[in-house]
Amino acid sequence: MPQHTSPVTLSVVTPMYNEREAVDHFVARLRPVLDGLGVTYEVVAVDDGSRDATVARLMQLREEWAQLRVISLRRNVGHQTALRAGLHSARGEYVVSIDADLQDPPEVIGEMLGAAREQDVHVVYGVRSDRSTDTVFKRSTAGVYYRVMRRLVGPWVNDQAGDFRLMSRTVVDVLNNLPEQNPVYRLVVPSLGFSSAEVAYVRAERVAGETKYPLSKMIKLTLDSVTSFSAAPLKIATWLGVFAFVLCVGLIIAGLIAWGSGTVVPGWTSLYIAVLLLGGVQLICLGLLGEYIGRIYAATQNRPPFLIALDTDTRKDNEPAEFASPSVR
Ligand code: UDP
Ligand code: MG
């Protein structure tokens, strides 16, 4: 499958944001799995600008586990962009992305690698066969999100596939060369059309700590998802405009008839309702335009989506474990 051979067979990329409480559990469960695979591997732990002791703890754990590579971003850029930083840095022939909170069981990685090799496919999706451990809120919002995205992106988006997946070097190279500013990988990867397989798993409960996906981040992911695959919301403005225009014409005719027959048009209520309604509709439409223009603006600015403050693989051996002189890329 991958065209060139890399010294590392498998890279495991894990974005981490304030995961101090989960990181020990994660490492304790991941390591035996990877050691047992019998392949060369690296674990790329991407610290997404954590404000707790995640990095310090990772640096300690690294002393005992040479394959653990720590990449630290300068600030919090969000799950998808942290994942992007990890995909850019990963060197493996195969790359697995997995959450740090053990909701995705590491034991499944072996199955994914096996499926990729045996079935000769480029992508292996981890598919949640049971989400009962997620909150009702999470499940219902996720349900709506996936229903909408399947309509916008296409039927190949699996509503039970999140970001736990294995990809071949070919796929990762394609992703790394996308010029997109905010790729939503769970939608972009299936849309590329690479051969794929699925491995079912049961979504577990978060091992420790709190979810790092507050409503604001979920809304951002949804806006990125919709605007990166569809311009349909822009058309809503046109249809609302047509509707408002037709309504207005009707009102004008009604007003003229009332005026002609000498009855006084009752004034205020209808007037301010119309003004408020139209004002609201216009603001919504402007906001929708803004979402797209904002993304065009960001694309033309072309700022780096993330900055790496530290990558342990570029650190010289005699440097102290704390990142005294981080390598900036
Ligand atoms: N995460 C991140 N940056 C963020 C938010 C989350 O790197 O700004 C990581 C987080 O540490 C975890 C993964 O993304 O490894 C998924 O986050 P979480 O488990 O909190 O999301 P949920 O499972 O609740 O949707
Ligand atoms: Mg989680």
Side-chain angles (χ1 to χ4, degrees):
M1 190 110 330
Q3 298 307 304
H4 58 276
T5 45
S6 154
V8 182
T9 304
L10 180 71
S11 296
V12 178
V13 174
T14 307
M16 295 186 183
Y17 178 52
N18 293 344
E19 297 287 7
R20 172 67 191 88
E21 286 168 65
V23 68
D24 284 68
H25 301 277
F26 178 68
V27 166
R29 220 167 111 196
L30 182 65
R31 184 167 188 182
V33 171
L34 296 181
D35 285 341
L37 288 178
V39 298
T40 49
Y41 68 83
E42 62 170 357
V43 175
V44 184
V46 183
D47 156 57
D48 185 11
S50 297
R51 279 182 297 257
D52 65 359
T54 303
V55 184
R57 184 61 190 144
L58 282 169
M59 295 307 274
Q60 282 172 355
L61 289 164
R62 206 182 106 78
E63 285 168 19
E64 311 268 290
W65 194 16
Q67 286 98 324
L68 178 61
R69 179 175 165 197
V70 184
I71 289 178
S72 190
L73 304 184
R74 292 207 171 268
R75 67 169 173 85
N76 180 245
V77 292
H79 177 212
Q80 294 293 305
T81 309
L83 196 57
R84 190 171 175 194
L87 293 180
H88 271 274
S89 310
R91 301 200 181 96
E93 280 174 59
Y94 293 97
V95 180
V96 169
S97 48
I98 184 171
D99 285 356
D101 57 2
L102 289 178
Q103 285 200 281
D104 311 328
E107 292 74 18
V108 177
I109 294 175
E111 270 179 69
M112 289 178 158
L113 189 61
R117 286 175 153 174
E118 282 154 28
Q119 300 175 38
D120 197 27
V121 290
H122 280 285
V123 186
V124 181
Y125 296 103
V127 176
R128 300 174 272 232
S129 59
D130 177 10
R131 272 189 95 131
S132 58
T133 52
D134 276 336
T135 60
V136 176
F137 176 70
K138 185 97 201 174
R139 268 182 287 156
S140 46
T141 49
V144 174
Y145 170 83
Y146 281 108
R147 219 170 308 138
V148 172
M149 293 324 296
R150 273 170 79 89
R151 285 197 73 141
L152 293 183
V153 183
W156 44 84
V157 172
N158 186 321
D159 58 357
Q160 295 305 327
D163 279 311
F164 185 27
R165 79 177 88 73
L166 175 142
M167 294 176 284
S168 71
R169 173 53 37 197
T170 314
V171 178
V172 175
D173 285 345
V174 169
L175 291 178
N176 288 345
N177 287 318
L178 286 181
E180 223 170 306
Q181 285 277 318
N182 300 307
V184 180
Y185 288 114
R186 67 189 67 174
L187 304 176
V188 173
V189 174
S191 79
L192 296 175
F194 280 100
S195 55
S196 66
E198 290 179 358
V199 169
Y201 74 98
V202 177
R203 185 114 169 124
E205 241 165 290
R206 173 176 259 283
V207 66
E210 304 265 289
T211 173
K212 308 299 181 300
Y213 253 97
L215 190 61
S216 58
K217 280 184 180 168
M218 280 161 62
I219 292 173
K220 182 178 180 300
L221 183 74
T222 308
L223 284 176
D224 282 341
S225 304
V226 173
T227 55
S228 65
F229 275 95
S230 173
L234 290 176
K235 293 180 193 148
I236 295 174
T238 319
W239 288 112
L240 285 175
V242 169
F243 176 71
F245 178 73
V246 171
L247 201 72
C248 249
V249 171
L251 283 175
I252 289 170
I253 293 171
L256 283 176
I257 293 171
W259 178 69
S261 65
T263 33
V264 182
V265 180
W268 289 109
T269 323
S270 55
L271 197 66
Y272 78 72
I273 286 179
V275 169
L276 280 184
L277 183 81
L278 282 181
V281 165
Q282 282 173 11
L283 284 178
I284 292 172
C285 297
L286 272 179
L288 283 175
L289 273 177
E291 289 294 334
Y292 287 89
I293 293 173
R295 280 163 177 80
I296 299 171
Y297 173 61
T300 52
Q301 277 180 319
N302 202 17
R303 298 215 179 111
F306 56 84
L307 282 176
I308 292 178
L310 161 93
D311 180 348
T312 49
D313 262 25
T314 56
R315 187 161 59 83
K316 289 176 217 76
D317 283 344
N318 55 1
E319 252 180 310
E322 311 77 51
F323 33 108
S325 59
S327 64
V328 184
R329 281 202 225 137

